[in-house]
Amino acid sequence: MVGEFDFIARHFRPLAGEGAMELRNDGATMSLPEGEELVLSSDTMVEGLHFLPDDPARTVAQKLLRCNLSDLAAMGSSPRHYMLNVSVPVGRHYDEAWFAEFAAGLAEDQERFGITLLGGDTTGSPSPLMLNVTILGAVRRGETLRRDGGRPGDGVWVTGTLGRAALGLQVRLGKIDASPDGILVQSYRIPSPRVGLSLYGIVSAAMDISDGLVQDCGHIAEESGTAITLFEEALPLSAEVKAYLPDWRETILLGGDDYELLLTCPVEQEEALQTHCRAHAVPVTKIGKVTEGQGVTMLDKNHEPIRFTRTGWQHF
Amino acid sequence: MVGEFDFIARHFRPLAGEGAMELRNDGATMSLPEGEELVLSSDTMVEGLHFLPDDPARTVAQKLLRCNLSDLAAMGSSPRHYMLNVSVPVGRHYDEAWFAEFAAGLAEDQERFGITLLGGDTTGSPSPLMLNVTILGAVRRGETLRRDGGRPGDGVWVTGTLGRAALGLQVRLGKIDASPDGILVQSYRIPSPRVGLSLYGIVSAAMDISDGLVQDCGHIAEESGTAITLFEEALPLSAEVKAYLPDWRETILLGGDDYELLLTCPVEQEEALQTHCRAHAVPVTKIGKVTEGQGVTMLDKNHEPIRFTRTGWQHF
């Protein structure tokens, strides 16, 4: 028939799993085991804003899935399926070869994370390339992690390390020199969502860091009706990130795209948190505390509040 | 905080329903009653392709929901919730007032169709305005309507009437004069999805007409492994559409955006189909038959095959 249908058949039909009816219908179906509820999240990536036009198609695909997988991880949900919406600019370099690589990247991560394509929509459009995923996961009913459970006295914790992806973007923009091992750019291009942890009953609030540590702490503080104090000295920074201090301090402290989990945890659950994360080989570090009040403060090594020129990623 | 969060709070938080957690989390949750499965469909609308920049914000919102509702209707599913993704071009006329009207249109149709907003994503972007909905419905497990069940001997049926929306687009493009009552433009702007019918066990295949009658019959024929013959004389055309014959014949016969249901029905179920549709005040008309073979043929009043210059809406 016409272009859309061939295009979908070539690139996306091989990715379709149970319930997708081979992408041959108006939609798709999905069942849930008894006692579970559905968790949904959606993220759009726009060329030039969330990825660069010359990023490899394979990593663009994987970043798209992983940003969404990270949202599920933040809600304590196991990923199952995703809907994919693609708006393809006509007459650009997003050609057959590009989409074959894009589909290969999706296929790799489907395998890695145990998910399948369920359905979606493909349309032509003027530039830029726009990619959207709505991801679907499952969780035991009532066991979804939320942002609003932080209580004064809780510790603030973060998985992994911070700042690599933000520096990686600066490398891509030609503003700083690349690290020889390419780890910064790779962190920018392919996040590692923290799926697979089971933190319900341990942590009091959770979200993933996409817009930057301070701004995302602000969300937990606001939704929880509390303040958050962070300690710069406590932040987990890897050696290749520390190498860019002090010049790129603000980029490192505020930069987004980490896709690590930001958690608040009652003191009596700290040991359980550390034990659980160790069992899953996920580093976790205490970086601050929840207090009465509002807003987010980061204290430097002299316990002076740091004044930033901005808070984090601006969407508009 | 930053623009995105205020924007979402102002316009979209009032639309959020159960499971959306007031759009304050990384995602949303949804439960399903026992014995039901989820049905999902997703449609993107691009300014200039699927709506015009000066279409009223309210009707743009309603068309967005209704295209998706129509997909659920075609699968025999009751609508429950939707995820909304919006990419807002900076510096255009899509301002606060526009989005207030857009949200009012969504609110009206939420009420009308019994659905609520579950979550989504808002981002800035270069032009054009891009709108995407993933809609979520429920159906008794195993009772989803599909496109692949048409069998030789079945009749081909369509709800409502055809051609108004396609002519409405031509009015909007200034190519034909408007009908005095505005019904053509209104049909283009605000489709009437056929939700609420229960056709499982009656029809053998179903889909909605979005790309045009002939092209969409082609999908049922292809998925069912059959041919379809349509009779021009049998097509339900309203008086205001007939007024544009014969000049706009191809537009009327091939035009998309009808969002009526296209059904195949075994002869022994014809009475059940008509009775059920009559009970729901939905007109339904037999317009053709499923036969052995492949492809779609439309016969004119002399039973000669009509040769079209194209098949329907081209997505790319």
Side-chain angles (χ1 to χ4, degrees):
Chain A
M1 311 286 292
V2 291
E4 180 192 11
F5 307 104
D6 289 343
F7 180 86
I8 290 171
R10 274 196 308 279
H11 297 302
F12 299 140
R13 186 163 293 158
L15 304 173
E18 193 191 342
M21 298 182 280
E22 298 182 299
L23 311 180
R24 293 178 190 274
N25 274 268
D26 285 299
T29 64
M30 177 180 169
S31 289
L32 274 179
E34 213 186 310
E36 295 194 356
E37 62 188 353
L38 192 69
V39 177
L40 300 102
S41 187
S42 196
D43 258 320
T44 302
M45 291 191 356
V46 182
E47 172 196 339
L49 266 73
H50 305 95
F51 64 94
L52 299 172
D54 61 340
D55 277 330
R58 191 175 292 251
T59 69
V60 170
Q62 296 184 338
K63 184 166 190 171
L64 177 67
L65 283 182
R66 292 176 183 208
C67 295
N68 280 281
L69 287 163
S70 182
D71 285 323
L72 286 192
M75 296 182 73
S77 165
S78 312
R80 298 282 166 86
H81 302 294
Y82 65 102
M83 304 282 284
L84 174 66
N85 297 290
V86 180
S87 301
V88 187
V90 181
R92 297 275 311 282
H93 66 289
Y94 300 108
D95 54 9
E96 280 298 305
W98 198 93
F99 276 101
E101 272 297 293
F102 180 79
L106 295 175
E108 269 181 20
D109 268 7
Q110 287 194 184
E111 181 83 17
R112 184 174 287 117
F113 295 102
I115 57 177
T116 57
L117 177 63
L118 199 53
D121 181 67
T122 303
T123 183
S125 88
S127 282
L129 177 65
M130 308 262 297
L131 303 164
N132 168 267
V133 158
T134 294
I135 198 152
L136 300 134
V139 68
R140 299 271 331 149
R141 200 167 289 164
E143 299 195 354
T144 304
L145 304 180
R146 303 171 56 120
R147 296 180 179 176
D148 61 2
R151 295 293 169 259
D154 291 354
V156 177
W157 295 72
V158 68
T159 59
T161 69
L162 300 171
R164 280 183 182 169
L167 290 175
L169 173 58
Q170 298 307 314
V171 173
R172 289 286 289 126
L173 296 175
K175 296 192 179 168
I176 61 178
D177 290 337
S179 60
D181 57 3
I183 188 76
L184 300 179
V185 169
Q186 192 183 329
S187 296
Y188 169 70
R189 284 184 174 156
I190 320 186
S192 297
R194 298 298 186 177
V195 293
L197 299 175
S198 297
L199 298 173
Y200 181 78
I202 298 176
V203 301
S204 51
M207 72 177 294
D208 71 326
I209 304 180
S210 56
D211 294 341
L213 174 64
V214 173
Q215 184 166 312
D216 287 329
C217 276
H219 293 303
I220 288 191
E222 187 184 354
E223 301 305 336
S224 299
T226 64
I228 283 179
T229 303
L230 300 171
F231 305 107
E232 184 186 15
E233 290 270 286
L235 299 185
L237 304 181
S238 59
E240 61 275 356
V241 168
K242 283 183 178 161
Y244 290 92
L245 287 174
D247 292 3
W248 292 88
R249 183 189 184 204
E250 191 160 300
T251 298
I252 293 164
L253 299 184
L254 300 182
D257 273 340
D258 289 309
Y259 298 103
E260 295 292 349
L261 292 184
L262 182 63
L263 308 163
T264 64
C265 183
V267 174
E268 62 271 22
Q269 295 291 348
E270 288 188 352
E271 202 173 310
L273 174 64
Q274 291 173 289
T275 303
H276 185 83
C277 288
R278 200 180 306 119
H280 288 79
V282 173
V284 66
T285 308
K286 189 171 183 174
I287 61 170
K289 61 183 180 189
V290 181
T291 64
E292 305 276 357
Q294 58 183 23
V296 178
T297 309
M298 191 184 292
L299 302 179
D300 66 16
K301 64 183 175 186
N302 302 314
H303 287 254
E304 295 294 329
I306 304 173
R307 299 179 76 93
F308 295 111
T309 60
R310 59 189 180 92
T311 60
W313 171 257
Q314 303 281 332
H315 290 255
F316 281 46
Chain B
M1 311 288 292
V2 292
E4 180 191 11
F5 308 105
D6 289 342
F7 179 86
I8 291 171
R10 274 196 308 278
H11 298 300
F12 300 138
R13 187 163 293 158
L15 304 173
E18 193 193 343
M21 298 182 280
E22 297 182 300
L23 311 181
R24 293 177 190 275
N25 274 268
D26 285 298
T29 64
M30 176 181 171
S31 288
L32 274 179
E34 214 185 309
E36 295 193 356
E37 62 188 352
L38 191 70
V39 177
L40 300 102
S41 186
S42 197
D43 258 319
T44 301
M45 291 194 351
V46 181
E47 171 196 340
L49 266 73
H50 305 94
F51 62 95
L52 298 172
D54 61 341
D55 277 329
R58 192 175 290 252
T59 68
V60 171
Q62 296 183 338
K63 184 164 189 173
L64 178 66
L65 283 182
R66 292 175 184 210
C67 295
N68 280 281
L69 287 163
S70 182
D71 285 323
L72 286 192
M75 295 182 73
S77 165
S78 312
R80 298 282 166 86
H81 304 293
Y82 65 102
M83 305 281 286
L84 173 66
N85 297 291
V86 180
S87 301
V88 186
V90 181
R92 296 276 311 281
H93 66 287
Y94 300 108
D95 55 10
E96 281 297 306
W98 197 92
F99 276 100
E101 272 297 293
F102 180 78
L106 294 175
E108 269 181 21
D109 268 6
Q110 288 194 183
E111 181 84 18
R112 184 173 287 117
F113 295 103
I115 57 177
T116 58
L117 178 63
L118 199 55
D121 180 67
T122 303
T123 183
S125 87
S127 282
L129 177 65
M130 308 263 295
L131 304 164
N132 168 267
V133 158
T134 294
I135 198 151
L136 300 133
V139 68
R140 300 276 324 153
R141 198 166 292 163
E143 299 194 355
T144 304
L145 304 180
R146 304 171 57 119
R147 295 180 181 177
D148 61 3
R151 295 290 168 263
D154 290 354
V156 176
W157 295 72
V158 68
T159 58
T161 69
L162 299 172
R164 279 182 182 171
L167 290 175
L169 173 58
Q170 299 305 315
V171 173
R172 290 285 291 125
L173 295 175
K175 296 192 178 168
I176 60 178
D177 290 336
S179 59
D181 57 2
I183 189 76
L184 299 179
V185 168
Q186 192 184 328
S187 296
Y188 169 70
R189 283 183 174 157
I190 321 185
S192 297
R194 298 298 186 178
V195 294
L197 298 176
S198 297
L199 298 174
Y200 182 79
I202 298 176
V203 301
S204 51
M207 72 177 293
D208 70 326
I209 303 180
S210 56
D211 294 341
L213 174 64
V214 173
Q215 185 165 312
D216 287 329
C217 276
H219 292 303
I220 288 191
E222 188 184 353
E223 301 305 335
S224 299
T226 63
I228 283 179
T229 303
L230 300 171
F231 305 106
E232 183 186 16
E233 290 271 285
L235 299 184
L237 305 181
S238 59
E240 62 275 355
V241 167
K242 284 183 179 159
Y244 291 92
L245 287 174
D247 291 3
W248 292 88
R249 181 188 187 206
E250 190 160 301
T251 298
I252 293 164
L253 299 185
L254 300 182
D257 274 337
D258 288 309
Y259 298 102
E260 295 292 350
L261 293 184
L262 181 62
L263 308 163
T264 65
C265 183
V267 174
E268 62 271 25
Q269 294 290 347
E270 287 187 353
E271 202 173 311
L273 174 64
Q274 291 172 288
T275 302
H276 185 83
C277 288
R278 200 178 307 119
H280 288 78
V282 173
V284 65
T285 308
K286 187 171 184 176
I287 61 170
K289 61 181 181 188
V290 182
T291 63
E292 305 275 358
Q294 58 182 25
V296 178
T297 308
M298 191 184 291
L299 303 179
D300 67 16
K301 63 182 174 185
N302 301 315
H303 286 255
E304 294 294 328
I306 304 173
R307 301 179 75 93
F308 295 110
T309 60
R310 59 191 180 91
T311 61
W313 171 257
Q314 301 282 332
H315 291 256
F316 282 45

